[in-house]
Structures are given as structure tokens and as C-alpha cells.
Amino acid sequence: MEKGRSLVRWTGIGLAFLLIAITGMRVQGVEAPYKEPEGLRADILVIDTLKVFGELERPAVLFLHDQHTDALEKQEKGCKTCHLKDASFTLIPDTLDEAIRRIDPLSPKFKRLKDESRQEVMDIYHDECIGCHTRTADEGYESGPVTCGECHQKEPEVVSVRQEMGMDLSLHYRHVKAREKKCGVCHHKFDEIKDQLFYAKGEEGSCRYCHREVKEENRISMRLASHVACVNCHRDMVDQQKETGPIRCAGCHSEKMQARIKKVDPLPRMERNQPDAVFVNITETAEMSADMKARMAAVPFDHKAHETYNDTCRVCHHEGLETCSTCHTLAVAPDAGKKVNLEQAMHQENTKTSCIGCHMMEQAPKECAGCHNFMPKDRKQDDAFCKVCHSVAPAQAAAADKDEESQKAANVLEARKTRMDPIPESEIPETVTIKAIEKEFEPAIMPHRKIIDRLQKGVASSKLADHFHTDRATLCQGCHHNTPPAVKPPKCSNCHGKPFSEKKPIMPGLMAAYHRQCMECHKNMGIEKPAAVDCAGCHKEKKK
Amino acid sequence: MSISRRRFLSWMGAAGAGTAALARPGHSATTQHFEGYADAGAVLFDSVICIGCRRCEAACNRVNDLPAPERPFDDLTVLDERRRTHWDSYMVINKYYPNGKENPPVYGRMGCNHCLEPACASACFVRAFDKAPTAAVTYDETVCVGCRYCMVACPFEIPTYEYHKVISPRISKCTFCHPRLEKGLLPGCVEACPTEALTFGTREDIIATAKERIRRHPDRYIDHVYGEKEMGGTSWLYLSGVPFSQVGKREDLGYIAAPKLTSGALAAVPIVVGLWPVLLTGIYAVSKRREKIAKEEKENAVAQAISAEKAEAEANLTQEKEKAKKDKEAAVEKAVKKALEDAAKEAEEAGKKDSEEES
């Protein structure tokens, strides 16, 4: 129901804009109308309002909002054709409040303010829709359906291609700039005593921290909040003949239009008093027992650099802008955030919100996948690996205040040598001739140095690789696995000695070790030639 | 015959119920689950690793001395067609596109899975099939009568038949390279596989290996080892990155071994074969005896009747004879008397010419 209501409200807002746009102020092109291919629409509203009163008797109606906006525009009619004036909005402080007041807020519902009864709502839709369609047709305009099945379609002719919309750092920056850093235009908090919204400087966060999927307590859903805030403000800008963002559905929700949204490059850093660097550890307090104090070495974290790796702060700060350990404590507790302890929050795989989870996702590109896909998931890392991050003893990480901590962490990061010198070419064999198990085929000549060059090139611009490839021979471990990094690592046949070992089926024999290592790496790195079944591509068949 | 049809059928019914009741302990005795011979081999086919090179097929053909195929083994366009096992191909690799033609294909193997409790063996009434300690389900052509029940029984539709041979056609299916296993060699296909998509080891190790592969790369595999439990467990096991039904494996077979499904009915066979003849012979003997007694009685009665009749007839005859004798004597007497009278009359008439004879 909330969905339907918000959609209808959105409709109202859109139509309200239209009215203004048409009656008087001709505005410069807000958005070049974009048409999706036949049948694919980003503006579908599902009218299933009667659901709240019980089962639907007929299929829900798919309403094309942009189509109606366009049709009314042709007839020189506006939003008020469908939406009634509604003064009961909870207003947002500062300029957005002004904007909404200026443009006369309309109810998002169709021709009503409230859903009173099943019969009444049904009658409104039937009378008003069919009535308008009939009148429009009489007036000689292209018009909509008037029979039941044309609206209540069992198998709708249109498919929704609506994309989620969100504000990334670039779009945020454009708003910051346009609003001259007046954050209160959008950001607000709720004063429970005064029962009103207010702006709290320095406490801004993502809208989604309070406005969730659906309405919670007095907080309207994210969907409604964004439509009320974004669209109303855009309408007001249009009203004032200023350049502004989209108003039609497709403007934000079609993939093609989203791609047209300008990106700021280079993107200036967000100003929210965030530190350049921090130590990820437990903030120790005097009342903590010795047991609760951190025992693991602290992790110096380059916050400033990580800001640029994601589109939004929300990727890591998924519930708020506080430090991770505010919610993710050492021990698991029943509260929502504390169900995931700090260790898991930082190390869990398959999630973008943990360090290791995100780093592992960064191994997906084909430059990395050749080696990393081969490595078992969820494997026990050796101690040296932990120390790559956990490098500062808790005592050394202790700081009197945040600035000192940030400075200390930044110093550690600065002092860290980021890139290993490559192994000199002379020490790398140029080719390796594989002839140990030569039988049906002639020996294969492997371009050993070329392979290393390719791997080195792939990671050349990766700071992540620089950080975790701690030895100059780390890259060699992609093939020479299960052995410490060394310039002269053991040969394949040292371990995969026998062609087949019944005693150890998990370890492939030499033939399979060669084939699998080469083929899997080629597959993962997107190297198509030679094909896996093209035997002669690597070794010629012996003449019989 | 004093047995009515109705009575016969009711006896038969009672006999049937009796054998069924007797069969019950026999049934439970056969449902002991066979976990396979200790240290018996097993093969893991990993369709995530298989590259579809057909070298296993070529090796199979070579080690089993099968006729050369129409198209050579390095012709990979053969894979474009869905194939099945044939009398001259014990195993085939098939190519599937579970993720659509635009994505890389996945390969599946079709061949004997060497069940721990083979359906073919349980269906064979001459015991041509045997689960050998090497794990191979072997076939003995010398006892096979060619009934092809095994082909019907196999849930994987593996055994094939040499229909083209007029004299002594054989069933043909993967032998698990039983002779090679006995010599300590690997099955031909496993030895030839360049990537160890086919792996050989003890069944225990193979299952552990399969599970370890799933654990190491949960993103690549479906978390299931096909054949670990299917049809009571098989000695050929399979890993896949897509649902097994999409690489030609039946997922509707369940975990119960085929022989177990039929053991109830089949366990009754010895009882039926052993007991019913006794019962039927008994019934036959009883009825036979009754018939015999009735016959004897009838014969006695007849004999008695005959002798009585005879005696009566004889008595009648003597009576008749005596009566006839008497009549004759009387007639003679009468004739004599008349002759005497006639003689007297003649004498009286003395000159009369005509005389008449009397008897």
C-alpha cells in the first residue's frame, strides 16, 4: 500500500510541476525526453490500492505515469487534473520547506486525500479515469482505454525496466555546490520534544539511515522521502527557471538517463570532518576490564584513499557514519549491530561491507583472477598474512584524541614501503621446456618470462596488489603455490611427482597439474588462445 | 472330480497369503545395505574441470579393443549431438549448454556407474553380473542367455546389446577396466584424462576429495556428490557446477538401491518356487487319491453287480434249461403219447393213407 501511495504521491508531484511548467513559465529543457524501446518502461506505477481492503477482483492496473504527463501537456493541462492540494506534508526545514510551500504541495493520491472505503476508491478510479478518457477522446485527442480488460490486463503489454536511483558522491558534490554547502536543505534530524525536523550541523548522514524501505514509526519510506524531497525541489528550481534535475520518472529511473547524469571529475573530497587515516581497533576506555581490551595489533587504515574506491560512503558505513567498533564490538551481543562482532565485520567473505570481503571482490577482474581464482576460498591464511594489516601494537596506536590518532596512523601509512622492486629479468628463465612426461606429444615450451610480464603488468596500477603482494616473489606464488615466496621456487614436479597418486587424490598428478594450472589461468584471465582442447597449440603431436 | 473351481481358488489364495507371511523375515534379511567392498576403487568425474577433449573416449576404445569409430576421437564436432552408450562405446562425453549457447559449455559423462548394489545384477537370473571386489560390475558372457533384463533394470540405461550379431550376441557396458584394475593399473579413461577431471581412488578418498573440492571452491560447485547416495551409492561419482539434471543425470532416482526396491517381491520367489510345488503336489496327491478310491469303489460295485447278475442269469438259465428240458420231455411224452394214440387210431383205421408228422 505504501508503495502505491508513494507512487501516486510522486505522480501528484510530477503533475503539479507540469501544471506550473505549462501555465506561464516556459522553462529551458529540463531533460531531453528519452524513449525506452517498445514495451519497456521506467515509469510504471502499479495501481493495486484496493489491496488494503482485501483481495483484488481483477489484475492490478499498470499505470504509465510519464505517458499521462505527456498527454496532459499536449492538452495544456497540469498535475491538478489528477492530484488534489494537500497541506498536510511534514515539512523539511530550511530552503526545501520554502520550495514546497512555493509550489503548492499536492496529494500523491489520485483525486482524493485518503483511502476511505473500497467502494469509494474504486469508484474514484473508475469514474475519473474512464470519464477523462471519454472526454479526451470526445475533444479529439488521443485517449486511453474505457473498457475493463484494457486497463486490468492479465498479461500486461509493458515490462518495467525501472532502475533504483541513488545519490553517489559525484551527484552529492553537484548538489553541495549548487546549494552553496547549505547541507540543511536536505539533511535533517527529528526533534521528538518539539515534534519537528531540524538541521544538526556535523551530524549529516545518508537519508537511508533513517528512511528505510518502508515507513517506520513517523519516518516515511525512502521512496516517498526521496520523491517528496528531490522532485519538489526540482519543481521549485524549474519554477525559478534554474537548471535542475529530472522530474519525469524516466529521468531518474531509466538506465539510459542515469548514464547521462554528469560525473564530476576530479571529484573533490567530501567535507564531513572525516579523518585521513585511522587505526581500526577497539577504543579502549578506563572502565574496560583487561579482558575487553584489544589484544590484536591495530590496523592503520587509509580512510582518505578508501573514500575514492566507492561511489558512496554507505558501502562501508551501512548504518551510520560512526566508527565500525561503535556497533561491531569484540564480543557478540544480542543488539542488531552487535550480532556481527568486530572480527567478522572486518573479515567476513562475500560482502562488500567487510575489509576482506571487499578486497576479495577486487580479485575478480581478469588481471587478478588468473592466480586468485585458483586459491581455495575460506582458507586459513598464514600468520604473516595477518600482519600485513595488523601491523601496529595496541600501545603504539593509543592516542589522546582523534587528530593525534589520525596523525599517527597517517605516519605509519606514509612510512610503509608500497612497492617491491621487481625480480631482475636475468633471474627469470625466459622459457621452460616441459618434457617430464612426454609421451604422445613433443615437449611444450612455456614462455615463462612472458607470463610473468603479463602478470606484473596486470597489477602494475593496483595499490591493493602492492599492499598485499608483500614479497617480490609473491606473484610467482600464483603458479608456484603452497611454497614460500622465493626467486627460485620448487618445480612443479617436486610435489606433483607421480603422474597419479592414489594416496592423495586431492593433489593432481603432474600431467593434470600442468594442464589445469595453465588452462584455468587462461580461462580466468580471458586468454582464448590456445583453446583448452587444442593440444597442438602448446605441444605438437609426435609423428607416429 | 470333487474340487470346485471356487474351492481351488480359495486354496490358492490362502497359499499365497501364507507365502507372503513367510516371506517377511526373508525380505528384511535382504535389505542389509551394502557399503561396498573395503578399499574398492571409485572414480570421480568433475564436470567443472572436464574440457571435453574426448581423450577418455579414445582411451576406452583402445584399452577395450573396440572397433574404430566412424569419426575420429579428435573430431570434437561429434559432441554437438547428444549421444548414448552403444555396443562399441562403453562411455560417452556429452556437451551441454546449461547457461545458454552464449556461455561456455559443460560436459557430462554417460557410462556405467558401477552401483554398489547393481540393478542389472539383481535382475539377472543367471548371475552374469557380479560386483567384484575391485568395485567393477563385471559381466560374464558365458552364462548370459541374452534376456536383456539388465537393460530394462538399469536406472541409468547403460547396458547395450550386440543386436547385429546373429550368433551369441553379448551385453556390452563399461567394465571399469576390471582386468587393468586387477593388475594395479588405472582405468583407461582416468589414465588418459589430461586434467584429472577423472580421478581414481578408494571410494572413501574419492568422496572426501569431492567434498574438499566443494569446500575449497563453493562458488564453482553444486554442493552435492552425485552417486554418493543415488540408487544406494555408486562407484562412479560426479561433481557439477550446474544442477545435475542439466548435465544428463537423473535426479529422480532416490537413495534406495534398486535391488532393495524389488527385494520384497523377489524374496518371495524362493518361497514360491520351493513351497508351492509341495503344496500343489499335495493338493494333486489328495485329489488323485480321492479319485483312486472312488474308482476302486466303483470297480468293486461293478464287479459285484456283474457277479450277481451273472449268478442270476445262470440261475435263470438253469431254470430255463430245466423248464425247456421239462417242456421237451413233456413234448416228447406228449408226442409219444400222441404217436401211440395215432398208432392206435391208425391201427384202428388201418387202411388210411395220409399221415401227418408232429414235433
Side-chain angles (χ1 to χ4, degrees), chain A residues 167-181:
Chain A
M167 185 168 275
D168 62 13
L169 290 170
S170 161
L171 194 57
H172 186 265
Y173 176 75
R174 285 173 62 197
H175 282 83
V176 170
K177 200 176 160 203
R179 289 328 205 123
E180 293 153 344
K181 296 188 187 174

Side-chain angles (χ1 to χ4, degrees), chain B residues 296-308:
Chain B
E296 277 172 6
E297 278 174 358
K298 197 179 170 186
E299 274 171 3
N300 284 346
V302 168
Q304 258 178 3
I306 289 173
S307 58

Side-chain angles (χ1 to χ4, degrees), chain A residues 125-235:
Chain A
Y125 276 111
H126 287 161
D127 295 348
E128 298 291 345
C129 294
I130 298 169
C132 186
H133 287 171
T134 315
R135 277 194 305 280
T136 315
D138 288 347
E139 285 164 25
Y141 293 104
E142 199 186 337
S143 185
V146 290
T147 58
C148 311
E150 286 176 289
C151 288
H152 298 279
Q153 291 175 334
K154 258 187 199 158
E155 285 164 14
E157 292 161 2
V158 287
V159 175
S160 180
V161 288
R162 182 183 182 278
Q163 298 288 317
E164 283 292 320
M165 179 62 183
M167 185 168 275
D168 62 13
L169 290 170
S170 161
L171 194 57
H172 186 265
Y173 176 75
R174 285 173 62 197
H175 282 83
V176 170
K177 200 176 160 203
R179 289 328 205 123
E180 293 153 344
K181 296 188 187 174
K182 281 190 210 153
C183 308
V185 173
C186 301
H187 291 279
H188 52 260
K189 293 191 107 181
F190 181 66
D191 188 330
E192 280 180 30
I193 297 159
K194 289 185 188 160
D195 192 25
Q196 68 180 38
L197 298 172
F198 69 101
Y199 168 62
K201 187 153 183 62
E203 289 176 42
E204 304 88 347
S206 166
C207 313
R208 288 168 216 252
Y209 294 156
C210 298
H211 298 286
R212 319 302 297 231
E213 275 298 285
V214 290
K215 188 176 177 179
E216 281 178 19
E217 292 159 26
N218 60 350
R219 289 166 285 139
I220 54 174
S221 69
M222 182 58 203
R223 190 165 186 173
L224 185 55
S226 58
H227 285 130
V228 167
C230 304
V231 181
N232 276 319
C233 193
H234 292 174
R235 281 173 61 202

